[in-house]
Amino acid sequence: MKLYILLYTIQSTVGCIQINVAQLLVPEGKEKRKMTKNQAVLSWLDEMIQLTTPDEVIWIDGSEEQRQKLYDEACAEGELYKLNQEKLPGCYLHRTAENDVARVEDRTFICTRTKEDAGPTNNWEDPQVMYKKLEGLFRGSMKGRTMYVIPYMMGPYGSPFSKIGIELTDSRYVVLNMMIMTRTGKKVMEELGDSADFVRCLHAKKDIDPENRYIVHFPEDNTIWTINSGYGGNVLLGKKCFALRIASNMGHKEGWMAEHMLILGLENPQGEIKYIAAAFPSACGKTNLAMLIPPEALKGYKVWTVGDDIAWLRIGKDGRLWAVNPESGFFGVAPGTSTKTNPNALATTMKNTIFTNVLLNTEDDTVWWEGLDGEPPKKGIDWKGRPWTPECGEKGAHPNSRFTAPAAQCPCISSEFEAAGGVPISAIVFGGRRAKTAPLVYEAFDWQHGVFVGATMASETTAAAAGAVGVVRRDPMAMIPFCGYNMADYFAHWLEMGKKIPNPPKIFHVNWFRLDENGKFMWPGFGDNLRVLNWILDRCEGKAKAQETAIGYLPEAADINVEGLAIDKTTLEQLLSVDKTVWKEEVESQKEFFKKFGDKLPAGIAEELAKLESRLNG
Ligand code: OXD
Ligand code: MN
C-alpha cells in the first residue's frame, strides 16, 4: 500500500516521468499476479487505479486456491456466511443491502453520442457529461479497499462467438459470482494476447447509495461503469450489461445477435436432438422451460439445457442459425424453485453455490425460500438478517432472492454446452403471459412476420406484482430492459438477419397462461409444455398439420398430443382459438406502442401490422 501511494505521488508530481502504476504495483517475485504485458489493458488499469485509488490490486487467476482464499476472507469479514458443508458443500449465503435487491432500470443508461442511437426505450445521457459525473463518484472510491481485476470470457474458450471483458471491482462477492457465471482467469488473458478488444468494466460498491446508483453503458467505448450497488444484475457485468446491452450493439455492427433467450435441446425417443431458442419476459417460467422434465406419458423424450437466460446467435457456414450460451452459470430466482417446479435447478444448487437474500435455516445452517418443498423451518434468519419464524407473517426470502450455481452441475446440462460452434437452432419461440389474447401456440407465416410477432410480445401484470392486474406491458423479444441501442434499429437488424440466413429457424409464439371465464389457467404448463414444443419441432420438419388463421398457423386440437393429460377437447379448442374482437383491440395497443419509434419504425414491421389488421377485418 505504501509503495503504491509513494509511486502515485511521483507520477502525479513529476508528470513527465512515465511510470506504469499497475506494473509497479505488482512487485518482482509476485509477477504471476500481473498476468499480462498487454499495454491496452495496463494503461486502462493505470487510469482506473488513479481514479479509484485502491490500496491493493489483485488479479484473479482463476485458480481453486485463490477462489478458496477469497471465500475464507469473505466469511471472516462477514461478507459471506459459510453454510452447512456436509449438506451443501461449497455453498455460501450473502445478504445485500435492503435497498439493493434488484436491477434498477431507471438508473440504467445507454450513453451514445446521440440520443437517437439509444432510442426511446432507454435512458440516455451524453457520454462526456456522464463520464464527468461518474468520475466524481468513482474518485477515491476504492481508498482503503482492494481492487480485483477479473479477466473473463463470455462464451466457450476457442469459440468464434466468444468475447472478452475485464471487470475491476472492490467486491469479493462480485469476484466469486463472476467466477461461477463466466470463465475467468489466466486462460482468458492468454486468449486476449496483446489485443485491445475487450470490454472495460468498472464497479465500485461505494456507499450503496440508491440516489447515486448508476449502471452505465458506453457502447461506443466498449465500457461499462456501475457504482453504489452490490446486487448481481447491476454488478455482475458479464451478464445483462455486457452479454445483452453491449453485445446487442456489437451484434448490430458485426452481423450477429445477442438475445434474452434460453437455449434447449429436445431429444426424441429416436435419440435425435433439435434445438430451440426462446424469449420470455420475466415471470414466465424461462428457467423451468430450459430444464423441463417430460410428463410420464412422454417419457421417451429428454430436454437438455444449453442456456437459461442469454443466447448469442450467428449464421453458420451451413446457412443455419447457431447459438451459444455466453454464460457458465445460472443466476436464478430461488422462490418457487422446488422438486415439483424445477428439480434440475434445485439439484444444480446443492453444491458450489452462492445464495443471495434467501432465508438461513438456523436449525441446520441450510437455506430456505418460499415455495421450496416441505415445511418451512421452525426458525431462521430472514433476508434482512432478522430472526424469523413461519408465524411472523413476513417473507423469509426476498421474492428476488437468487442462487448463483455452475451450469456444469445441472443434471440436464447439454453435452454441447461448451461446443465452440454452438448448436443449430430449428425454432425461435417468443412467449408472454396473456389471459385472453394469445392462443397456446401459433407459428409465424415467415421470418418478417416472426419478427413482428417478437416485436409485439407482451405480458399482463399478475396479482403477484405491484400495481394494477391485467395491464399489458410491451416487451419486444423480452429485450426492453436489455437492448443497448435504438429498438427500431434492433427490429431492422432482425429483419436484415432474416435476409442473410439461408436456412432460418421458424418462429413461433406460445402462451402458457390463458385463463378460462373463472380465471383459472386452462393449460397445465411445466412438463406438459413439451407437448407444444413437439408440435413446434414437427412443424419445423414439415411433419405436423396446421390451419391458417388471421394471426398465423395454428394447430387443431387433434394435432397436440394430450395422451395422459386430463384436458377435454373443448378446453383445448378454446386454448387454440383466436378471438377477432380481442385481437382488434390488441392491434390498437400495438399501434400505440409503435408510435414511440416514429419514422424509424422499419417498413417491414409497419407492413406486418397493416397485414394483420386487414386479415382481422377480412
Ligand atoms: C434476469 C432478468 O434476472 O431477466 O434474468 O431479470
Ligand atoms: Mn433474464
Side-chain angles (χ1 to χ4, degrees):
M1 169 185 157
K2 292 217 176 74
L3 174 69
Y4 166 64
I5 291 171
L6 177 68
L7 292 171
Y8 178 59
T9 313
I10 292 171
Q11 189 177 37
S12 48
T13 51
V14 192
C16 57
I17 302 176
Q18 275 291 316
I19 294 173
N20 186 325
V21 178
Q23 275 177 344
L24 286 166
L25 256 176
V26 184
E28 290 297 315
K30 291 200 176 161
E31 191 67 11
K32 66 175 171 20
R33 287 164 63 195
K34 192 170 71 184
M35 289 196 334
T36 191
K37 293 199 165 37
N38 180 318
Q39 277 313 312
V41 172
L42 292 174
S43 57
W44 168 67
L45 185 54
D46 282 352
E47 231 184 278
M48 297 301 103
I49 289 171
Q50 290 189 35
L51 176 64
T52 59
T53 63
D55 281 16
E56 201 187 353
V57 175
I58 294 182
W59 280 81
I60 298 304
D61 60 17
S63 68
E64 273 316 305
E65 188 192 354
Q66 189 183 43
R67 186 201 302 256
Q68 196 50 55
K69 186 164 179 286
L70 289 166
Y71 272 122
D72 293 344
E73 287 170 5
C75 288
E77 292 203 1
E79 203 177 342
L80 288 178
Y81 179 82
K82 195 173 195 166
L83 294 162
N84 184 327
Q85 296 298 296
E86 264 162 41
K87 293 190 173 169
L88 295 169
C91 292
Y92 296 81
L93 169 66
H94 173 78
R95 293 188 197 100
T96 63
E98 277 179 46
N99 72 29
D100 189 27
V101 292
R103 286 186 291 102
V104 278
E105 286 167 24
D106 58 328
R107 312 228 38 111
T108 301
F109 287 79
I110 302 293
C111 297
T112 41
R113 264 186 297 273
T114 69
K115 189 170 185 334
E116 193 182 349
D117 284 346
T121 59
N122 282 312
N123 299 316
W124 176 86
E125 180 54 271
D126 175 80
Q128 294 319 316
V129 173
M130 187 55 100
Y131 273 128
K132 205 151 179 237
K133 182 188 282 189
L134 292 184
E135 273 166 14
L137 291 173
F138 273 106
R139 182 148 296 117
S141 59
M142 296 194 193
K143 200 163 172 28
R145 306 181 58 79
T146 298
M147 172 192 276
Y148 298 95
V149 182
I150 319 169
Y152 68 93
M153 175 107 148
M154 303 310 295
Y157 287 115
S159 162
F161 286 77
S162 297
K163 298 271 181 192
I164 288 173
I166 301 181
E167 177 162 354
L168 311 178
T169 178
D170 58 355
S171 159
R172 281 192 204 90
Y173 170 77
V174 168
V175 175
L176 291 164
N177 273 274
M178 285 291 284
M179 288 180 88
I180 297 173
M181 294 304 297
T182 69
R183 293 139 177 106
T184 52
K186 254 188 194 149
K187 205 164 159 192
V188 176
M189 289 313 289
E190 280 162 23
E191 290 227 3
L192 183 65
D194 56 11
S195 164
D197 187 11
F198 63 97
V199 176
R200 291 139 174 84
C201 307
L202 177 65
H203 163 244
K205 283 200 289 195
K206 194 129 166 140
D207 313 309
I208 315 289
D209 170 11
E211 303 296 315
N212 280 304
R213 183 167 296 156
Y214 285 95
I215 295 92
V216 183
H217 308 72
F218 302 95
E220 288 144 355
D221 304 338
N222 273 354
T223 293
I224 308 164
W225 282 13
T226 177
I227 192 157
N228 274 312
S229 175
Y231 170 74
N234 300 327
V235 297
L236 306 181
L237 297 182
K239 195 171 178 60
K240 304 299 191 184
C241 298
F242 179 170
L244 288 175
R245 297 193 191 99
I246 295 288
S248 59
N249 260 284
M250 291 175 163
H252 183 215
K253 280 187 223 121
E254 298 167 9
W256 54 279
M257 302 159 96
E259 298 298 330
H260 191 197
M261 288 179 175
L262 66 87
I263 310 164
L264 66 82
L266 176 46
E267 180 174 342
N268 69 15
Q270 291 73 48
E272 294 153 352
I273 305 179
K274 296 267 183 284
Y275 294 90
I276 294 175
F280 295 86
S282 60
C284 288
K286 205 157 128 210
T287 307
N288 294 347
L289 186 65
M291 300 177 191
L292 177 149
I293 306 253
E296 199 54 32
L298 299 178
K299 255 168 75 192
Y301 290 83
K302 184 128 188 47
V303 165
W304 299 106
T305 310
V306 182
D308 75 325
D309 196 37
I310 298 175
W312 284 0
L313 303 122
R314 282 180 184 264
I315 305 169
K317 287 201 185 79
D318 63 355
R320 291 187 290 174
L321 193 61
W322 290 69
V324 301
N325 170 9
E327 301 188 282
S328 60
F330 305 132
F331 183 62
V333 176
T337 306
S338 71
T339 53
K340 277 214 192 77
T341 59
N342 196 337
N344 285 319
L346 202 58
T348 310
T349 65
M350 288 296 124
K351 56 183 184 188
N352 306 321
T353 294
I354 300 173
F355 295 95
T356 302
N357 291 342
V358 298
L359 180 96
L360 173 66
N361 178 349
T362 43
E363 291 185 318
D364 63 354
D365 260 350
T366 58
V367 288
W368 185 84
W369 48 78
E370 281 70 18
L372 186 60
D373 318 67
E375 294 295 308
K378 294 199 176 51
K379 57 185 171 67
I381 307 278
D382 74 3
W383 69 275
K384 293 182 178 171
R386 304 171 310 182
W388 179 94
T389 62
E391 297 76 38
C392 76
E394 302 244 4
K395 286 204 187 320
H398 186 275
N400 192 33
S401 54
R402 299 276 173 154
F403 53 79
T404 317
Q409 290 179 187
C410 181
C412 58
I413 194 73
S414 162
S415 59
E416 301 309 295
F417 173 65
E418 297 280 358
V423 294
I425 299 299
S426 298
I428 287 177
V429 177
F430 295 121
R433 179 183 279 273
R434 305 302 300 265
K436 288 202 191 82
T437 323
L440 181 62
V441 59
Y442 66 99
E443 178 190 329
F445 294 121
D446 52 28
W447 182 272
Q448 176 171 294
H449 179 229
V451 175
F452 171 77
V453 168
T456 51
M457 251 172 78
S459 247
E460 281 149 31
T461 48
T462 63
V469 176
V471 175
V472 174
R473 292 233 171 95
R474 300 256 153 226
D475 189 357
M477 285 82 169
M479 282 289 279
I480 276 275
F482 308 118
C483 181
Y485 60 107
N486 192 315
M487 206 154 212
D489 292 330
Y490 169 79
F491 296 150
H493 180 48
W494 263 86
L495 294 169
E496 275 309 303
M497 286 295 292
K499 291 182 197 148
K500 291 186 197 144
I501 312 170
N503 191 3
K506 282 182 182 285
I507 301 180
F508 298 81
H509 187 280
V510 299
N511 175 25
W512 318 131
F513 302 97
R514 198 137 166 185
L515 301 178
D516 66 15
E517 49 290 348
N518 301 316
K520 281 188 123 168
F521 289 121
M522 296 164 81
W523 180 249
F526 297 103
D528 288 305
N529 293 337
L530 180 67
R531 301 169 188 278
V532 175
L533 299 186
N534 275 343
W535 180 79
I536 286 174
L537 287 180
D538 284 349
R539 282 295 294 167
C540 294
E541 286 174 52
K543 290 202 292 216
K545 282 193 294 184
Q547 46 173 334
E548 191 170 334
T549 74
I551 64 163
Y553 297 118
L554 258 81
E556 298 208 15
D559 300 329
I560 302 282
N561 178 353
V562 288
E563 186 195 332
L565 188 63
I567 192 164
D568 56 61
K569 190 156 175 271
T570 321
T571 308
L572 201 51
E573 279 168 359
Q574 271 177 319
L575 273 164
L576 296 170
S577 63
V578 178
D579 180 334
K580 284 198 175 178
T581 314
V582 174
W583 271 90
K584 283 179 193 166
E585 285 165 27
E586 169 70 9
V587 165
E588 291 313 308
S589 148
Q590 293 174 355
K591 277 188 197 161
E592 195 52 42
F593 175 71
F594 285 139
K595 266 191 202 156
K596 67 169 73 174
F597 301 104
D599 293 347
K600 268 188 91 76
L601 187 73
I605 300 290
E607 187 184 312
E608 289 301 325
L609 183 64
K611 275 165 51 180
L612 172 62
E613 192 167 23
S614 93
R615 287 193 302 266
L616 288 166
N617 289 324

CSV table of all heavy atoms in Angstrom, one decimal, residues 181 239 287 308 329-335 337 400-405:
chain,number,residue,atom,x,y,z
A,181,MET,N,-20.3,-17.4,-13.0
A,181,MET,CA,-21.2,-17.0,-14.1
A,181,MET,C,-20.4,-16.9,-15.4
A,181,MET,O,-21.0,-16.9,-16.5
A,181,MET,CB,-21.8,-15.7,-13.8
A,181,MET,CG,-22.9,-15.7,-12.7
A,181,MET,SD,-24.1,-16.9,-13.0
A,181,MET,CE,-24.9,-16.4,-14.4
A,239,LYS,N,-23.1,-10.2,-17.4
A,239,LYS,CA,-24.4,-10.7,-17.7
A,239,LYS,C,-25.2,-9.7,-18.5
A,239,LYS,O,-25.0,-9.6,-19.7
A,239,LYS,CB,-25.1,-11.1,-16.3
A,239,LYS,CG,-26.4,-11.9,-16.5
A,239,LYS,CD,-26.9,-12.4,-15.2
A,239,LYS,CE,-28.2,-13.2,-15.4
A,239,LYS,NZ,-28.0,-14.4,-16.2
A,287,THR,N,-36.6,-20.4,-16.8
A,287,THR,CA,-35.6,-21.4,-16.3
A,287,THR,C,-36.3,-22.7,-16.2
A,287,THR,O,-35.7,-23.8,-16.5
A,287,THR,CB,-35.1,-20.9,-14.9
A,287,THR,OG1,-34.5,-19.6,-15.1
A,287,THR,CG2,-34.0,-21.8,-14.4
A,308,ASP,N,-30.1,-20.7,-19.9
A,308,ASP,CA,-31.4,-20.4,-19.3
A,308,ASP,C,-31.7,-18.9,-19.4
A,308,ASP,O,-32.8,-18.5,-19.0
A,308,ASP,CB,-31.4,-20.8,-17.8
A,308,ASP,CG,-30.6,-19.8,-17.0
A,308,ASP,OD1,-29.6,-19.3,-17.5
A,308,ASP,OD2,-31.0,-19.5,-15.8
A,329,GLY,N,-22.8,-20.1,-15.8
A,329,GLY,CA,-23.6,-20.4,-14.6
A,329,GLY,C,-25.0,-19.9,-14.7
A,329,GLY,O,-25.4,-19.3,-15.7
A,330,PHE,N,-25.8,-20.2,-13.7
A,330,PHE,CA,-27.2,-19.8,-13.6
A,330,PHE,C,-27.4,-18.8,-12.4
A,330,PHE,O,-26.9,-19.1,-11.3
A,330,PHE,CB,-28.2,-20.9,-13.4
A,330,PHE,CG,-28.1,-22.0,-14.4
A,330,PHE,CD1,-28.0,-23.4,-14.0
A,330,PHE,CD2,-28.0,-21.8,-15.8
A,330,PHE,CE1,-27.9,-24.4,-14.9
A,330,PHE,CE2,-27.9,-22.8,-16.7
A,330,PHE,CZ,-27.8,-24.1,-16.3
A,331,PHE,N,-28.0,-17.6,-12.7
A,331,PHE,CA,-28.3,-16.7,-11.6
A,331,PHE,C,-29.8,-16.7,-11.5
A,331,PHE,O,-30.5,-15.8,-12.1
A,331,PHE,CB,-27.7,-15.3,-12.0
A,331,PHE,CG,-27.9,-14.2,-11.0
A,331,PHE,CD1,-27.3,-14.3,-9.8
A,331,PHE,CD2,-28.6,-13.1,-11.3
A,331,PHE,CE1,-27.4,-13.3,-8.8
A,331,PHE,CE2,-28.7,-12.1,-10.3
A,331,PHE,CZ,-28.2,-12.2,-9.1
A,332,GLY,N,-30.3,-17.7,-10.9
A,332,GLY,CA,-31.7,-18.0,-10.9
A,332,GLY,C,-32.5,-17.4,-9.7
A,332,GLY,O,-31.9,-17.3,-8.6
A,333,VAL,N,-33.8,-17.2,-9.9
A,333,VAL,CA,-34.6,-16.8,-8.8
A,333,VAL,C,-34.9,-18.0,-7.9
A,333,VAL,O,-35.4,-19.0,-8.4
A,333,VAL,CB,-36.0,-16.2,-9.4
A,333,VAL,CG1,-36.9,-15.8,-8.3
A,333,VAL,CG2,-35.7,-15.0,-10.2
A,334,ALA,N,-34.7,-17.9,-6.6
A,334,ALA,CA,-34.9,-19.0,-5.7
A,334,ALA,C,-36.4,-19.3,-5.4
A,334,ALA,O,-36.8,-20.4,-5.6
A,334,ALA,CB,-34.1,-18.8,-4.5
A,335,PRO,N,-37.1,-18.3,-5.0
A,335,PRO,CA,-38.5,-18.6,-4.6
A,335,PRO,C,-39.3,-19.3,-5.7
A,335,PRO,O,-39.2,-18.9,-6.9
A,335,PRO,CB,-39.1,-17.2,-4.2
A,335,PRO,CG,-37.9,-16.4,-3.8
A,335,PRO,CD,-36.8,-16.9,-4.7
A,337,THR,N,-38.7,-22.3,-6.6
A,337,THR,CA,-38.0,-23.4,-7.2
A,337,THR,C,-38.1,-24.6,-6.2
A,337,THR,O,-37.8,-24.4,-5.0
A,337,THR,CB,-36.5,-23.0,-7.3
A,337,THR,OG1,-36.4,-21.8,-8.1
A,337,THR,CG2,-35.7,-24.1,-8.0
A,400,ASN,N,-37.0,-11.8,-4.9
A,400,ASN,CA,-36.0,-11.8,-6.0
A,400,ASN,C,-34.7,-12.4,-5.5
A,400,ASN,O,-33.6,-12.1,-6.0
A,400,ASN,CB,-35.8,-10.4,-6.6
A,400,ASN,CG,-35.0,-10.4,-7.9
A,400,ASN,OD1,-35.0,-11.4,-8.6
A,400,ASN,ND2,-34.1,-9.4,-8.1
A,401,SER,N,-34.8,-13.2,-4.4
A,401,SER,CA,-33.6,-13.9,-3.9
A,401,SER,C,-33.1,-14.8,-5.0
A,401,SER,O,-33.8,-15.4,-5.8
A,401,SER,CB,-33.8,-14.5,-2.6
A,401,SER,OG,-34.9,-15.4,-2.7
A,402,ARG,N,-31.8,-15.1,-4.9
A,402,ARG,CA,-31.1,-15.8,-6.1
A,402,ARG,C,-30.2,-16.9,-5.7
A,402,ARG,O,-29.7,-16.9,-4.6
A,402,ARG,CB,-30.3,-14.8,-6.9
A,402,ARG,CG,-31.1,-13.6,-7.5
A,402,ARG,CD,-31.7,-14.0,-8.8
A,402,ARG,NE,-32.6,-13.0,-9.3
A,402,ARG,CZ,-32.8,-12.9,-10.6
A,402,ARG,NH1,-32.2,-13.7,-11.5
A,402,ARG,NH2,-33.7,-12.0,-11.0
A,403,PHE,N,-29.9,-17.8,-6.6
A,403,PHE,CA,-28.8,-18.7,-6.5
A,403,PHE,C,-27.9,-18.5,-7.6
A,403,PHE,O,-28.3,-18.2,-8.8
A,403,PHE,CB,-29.3,-20.2,-6.4
A,403,PHE,CG,-30.2,-20.6,-7.6
A,403,PHE,CD1,-29.7,-20.9,-8.8
A,403,PHE,CD2,-31.6,-20.7,-7.4
A,403,PHE,CE1,-30.5,-21.3,-9.9
A,403,PHE,CE2,-32.4,-21.1,-8.4
A,403,PHE,CZ,-31.9,-21.4,-9.7
A,404,THR,N,-26.6,-18.6,-7.4
A,404,THR,CA,-25.6,-18.5,-8.4
A,404,THR,C,-24.9,-19.9,-8.4
A,404,THR,O,-24.2,-20.2,-7.5
A,404,THR,CB,-24.5,-17.4,-8.2
A,404,THR,OG1,-25.2,-16.2,-7.7
A,404,THR,CG2,-23.7,-17.1,-9.4
A,405,ALA,N,-25.2,-20.6,-9.5
A,405,ALA,CA,-24.7,-22.0,-9.5
A,405,ALA,C,-24.0,-22.4,-10.8
A,405,ALA,O,-24.5,-21.9,-11.9
A,405,ALA,CB,-25.9,-22.9,-9.3
